[in-house]
Amino acid sequence: MATLPHSAGSDSSVHRLTNDAKPEKFSEIGHVEDVEASHRQHVVARNRNISAKIQNPLYGLSKENLFGLADQFCNDKGFDDKKDLFQRAALLSQKPDDFESIPELTEDDRFWLRRERTNKWDQTRALYFLVIVCSIGSAIQGWDNTGANGANLSFPVEFGIAHNTWLVGMVNAAPSITVGAISAMLTDPINHYIGRRGTIFVTGLFCVFPVLGQAFTRNWQELFACRVLLGFGMGMKITTIPIMTAETAPARIRGALVMSFQLWVAFGIFFGFCSNLVFMNVGKNAWRIQLAAAFVPAVPLLLLKSNLVWFCPESPRWLMKKDRYPKAFRSLMRLRKSEIQAARDMFYAHCQLEEEREAFKGTTYFSRFGDLFTKPRLRRANLASWVVMISQQLCGINIMSFYSSTIFAEAGYNPKQCLLASFGFGLVNTIFAIPAIYTIDTFGRRNLLLFTFPCMSLCLFWAGSMFFMDTGNAARVPILALAIYLFTAFYSPGMGPVPFVYAAESYPLTHREIGMSWAVQQNNMWAAVLGLTFPSMLAAMKPFGAFYFYAGTNILAWVLIFFFTPETARRTLEELDYVFAVPVATFAKYQSTVWLPWFIKRWVFWQKNAHLEPLYKLEGVAGERTEVERFH
């Protein structure tokens, strides 16, 4: 009898068959044993996937066994009245690309399954409302960054710390210091007890009142304290929002929906620069208004976020993790266009999760952080997430966000010209973030990074070289601005949205909160290092040296991404277990001995007949091999 392995101590038995299920089509015992062995092998493969296979947990099972699984699932999870639906969902989960050949599906089922392929953006209002409400609050984060950018021209003088570059850097980096030190790691227990929705709402409070408090500070210590409080809310919010979106979005457009978080950060940066220009002439207190201006949209956004608790569905996967399956199904029904889609997504995710729990059995709530560094599958996801997170800081973008006005002042611009030039940076950052909505799921996360990093490096070399031009040359600063704008144009569709999308989907459900917390903590810790060191770096290395330094770190980031970050696009969150279970040495060897020679033949020597052997072998999962080739 074909059996799917299940987690020790689990009361769920979707993966086991009752004795009543007689697999007529599996009459040969040897064939049944092969299927059982295959499933056992792929449970193990979730930690060490030497064969680089991505296997559907239902692969190879007979129709009778599938129906047995579906019936057992319904009995265990309270869906006795939906057995017919979940039987169809089981057949569809086994053959997601061959739904036209499944006679049990209704014509209405086929209509919606066809439509999700031909109209991938045709999603429910509840899904779009959830994504917008979750992501829009990140505009406050971007606005605060640019408020500090403009305020840097004034508050150090007023507080008498302009001579102390380390102190100025510490005040600017206070939110990142807080996130890197404690805030991000609080995400795990907060999510555990109050869920994704509750966490997003509660942390929104910290992003409102500390913003306003900055306007009334009397010394640098009070300003630092306000920015620390801002960091408390920011860390938990920016960690939870990508997880929430990733767990609710369909795989085909998951990247685009998760990156909406970063898109709103870009909008916030743009409006922050607009605010800096509007209030630049109000006198010596201009910096106070520039820092506090983000309070204006914060209040209505907080009221909007209160709707999240009452009107948006909770993450279905979080509910499944808590064994609240009926509520998870109701949530999926609001997030999908049809009942068959909701049933398929739940049943397929559940079967994958059961294998996932078996692969990570023995894990306790308190041992999960250690698992990130000891369990092979988790360690590789940790490495890849760390690479993309630190690469966002290695590229130098936060220097532009916090210190572009200072850089333009060093180049010879007056305060008004500095703010206008920085406004251009914010505009470019916003405009070029939009194409990522379409490219992140088609071109792929990894390919976007491999393409944009060399371009960003060249732009920074170019920008640094402009400081060798004569200061009297009128073209000096405009050309410098052009180089920075081009750098930003390459950053916005690549390194901008990818890190938080990538980290949110890299970890299994059992470790998603703690894994994402660690990744965000690393991102902000290094952001704090950059914020702290750049004023001193600017003084010691001069602007050209600082630009050359970050041009070099862009190349370093490209090398790290090439060898350590596999593609995650268009795979379900559970299928990514197999991707990250491939040993690092196997993946790195493939990139250097197979992918790179193919790339040179195809795109350097233009050999159209060059063939790329894909790394991953698909067994019963959705997705064509041609897509896999394109991503690798």
Side-chain angles (χ1 to χ4, degrees), residues 69 83 88 198 200 240 389 421 490 492:
L69 290 174
K83 288 188 176 181
R88 303 200 314 271
I200 294 170
T240 304
M389 285 297 194
F490 285 115
S492 295

Side-chain angles (χ1 to χ4, degrees), residues 532-604:
L532 281 168
T533 59
F534 189 73
S536 299
M537 180 186 290
L538 202 61
M541 300 175 63
K542 305 304 178 184
F544 71 87
F547 275 102
Y548 286 168
F549 174 82
Y550 283 108
T553 56
N554 271 266
I555 299 301
L556 173 61
W558 186 94
V559 173
L560 292 173
I561 289 164
F562 182 81
F563 285 109
F564 300 123
T565 59
E567 184 57 75
T568 58
R570 299 176 78 92
R571 298 266 66 86
T572 70
L573 295 177
E574 289 73 34
E575 288 168 358
L576 291 176
D577 282 344
Y578 297 112
V579 172
F580 286 106
V582 174
V584 172
T586 301
F587 178 80
K589 181 179 179 180
Y590 173 84
Q591 300 305 322
S592 58
T593 62
V594 179
W595 189 93
L596 188 59
W598 166 82
F599 181 86
I600 293 173
K601 291 177 184 178
R602 180 64 184 88
W603 300 109
V604 177

Side-chain angles (χ1 to χ4, degrees), residues 313-333:
E314 179 58 274
S315 162
R317 284 179 169 85
W318 184 83
L319 292 168
M320 291 168 69
K321 182 179 180 179
K322 296 292 185 179
D323 202 28
R324 303 175 189 172
Y325 276 78
K327 195 170 183 178
F329 186 68
R330 291 195 296 272
S331 177
L332 269 172
M333 283 294 294

